[in-house]
Amino acid sequence: MLVYQDIRDSAAKYVDCCTRDCAQHVAATLSGESYAPPVPVIDWAGRVLVAYQDAGRPCVMLATCADRHCTRTPVSGMRNGPGACLAMTLDQARRPAILWVDDNGSYFSDSKWSLMATTPLNVTP
């Protein structure tokens, strides 16, 4: 399993290798342009959970990937826009806990950003 941000279009991508050398694989584009690289964790059921920001929506998204298929779920809208920081772990209840920046993209004195924490409640462990 590989999760990365494509340098050509800044899209979040997921690759599931079918063979040890990954010569055979299944690939999925999870989002269009994204500012922060996607963040994967493996949950207790063995599924790959991928947090990412989709600048086109704009939303924080969670992809749940298993059996070479990903389901994408929006978990939070953004007031200002996607920021450059994104992190995820599993909490004590085995739910994904996502930390992200809601940012308007301005680096001047009028910059409005917030550090946000989101725990999606509809992801079953």
Side-chain angles (χ1 to χ4, degrees), residues 48-66:
V48 177
L49 304 178
V50 182
Y52 61 96
Q53 294 175 332
D54 191 334
R57 286 197 158 188
C59 286
V60 173
M61 303 287 292
L62 183 68
T64 304
C65 304

Side-chain angles (χ1 to χ4, degrees), residues 17-109:
C17 298
C18 302
T19 59
R20 186 176 201 133
D21 63 358
C22 211
Q24 296 177 10
H25 62 275
V26 175
T29 299
L30 300 175
S31 75
E33 184 180 13
S34 181
Y35 296 102
V39 179
V41 298
I42 298 174
D43 74 2
W44 296 96
R47 301 174 300 185
V48 177
L49 304 178
V50 182
Y52 61 96
Q53 294 175 332
D54 191 334
R57 286 197 158 188
C59 286
V60 173
M61 303 287 292
L62 183 68
T64 304
C65 304
D67 300 323
R68 295 178 173 74
H69 179 267
C70 293
T71 302
R72 298 159 187 84
T73 306
V75 296
S76 181
M78 297 179 217
R79 279 187 237 152
N80 296 310
C85 298
L86 181 69
M88 180 172 56
T89 190
L90 298 177
D91 69 9
Q92 290 178 344
R94 300 180 176 177
R95 298 174 303 201
I98 304 168
L99 187 68
W100 55 282
V101 172
D102 188 12
D103 191 357
N104 70 355
S106 175
Y107 296 104
F108 302 105
S109 61

